[in-house]
Amino acid sequence: MANDYGYFGSGSTGYAHYKQAFDRNFGGSGGGGGGHRPPQRNNGNNNGGDNSGCGILLLIAVVVVVAWIILLSM
């Protein structure tokens, strides 16, 4: 039973599958290709945009224009 890896099988094939899953899930440093890059955090902005900040700049521009119009009308 020493070479039984449960769900992954037994022997060297079972160990290879177990090790591959372990490295994929826990970022192992074993040789042979390296792991996956961790997902990029998007801070809750799931609007499909490029998160370049154009919306904020547009809002600031609108506020400045409205303030300028109010000041001119006084």
Side-chain angles (χ1 to χ4, degrees):
M1 281 305 249
N3 289 333
D4 184 22
Y5 295 97
Y7 170 80
F8 300 105
S10 60
S12 59
T13 305
Y15 176 74
H17 288 227
Y18 162 77
K19 181 72 171 140
Q20 182 180 25
F22 184 88
D23 289 346
R24 181 176 53 235
N25 291 328
F26 298 107
S29 60
H36 296 281
R37 191 174 82 178
Q40 185 177 18
R41 297 189 186 274
N42 64 358
N43 298 325
N45 296 326
N46 289 330
N47 58 1
D50 61 356
N51 296 331
S52 64
C54 290
I56 297 295
L57 292 176
L58 182 62
L59 178 65
I60 292 171
V62 168
V63 169
V64 167
V65 168
V66 169
W68 183 65
I69 291 172
I70 291 173
L71 286 175
L72 286 179
S73 67
M74 293 171 78

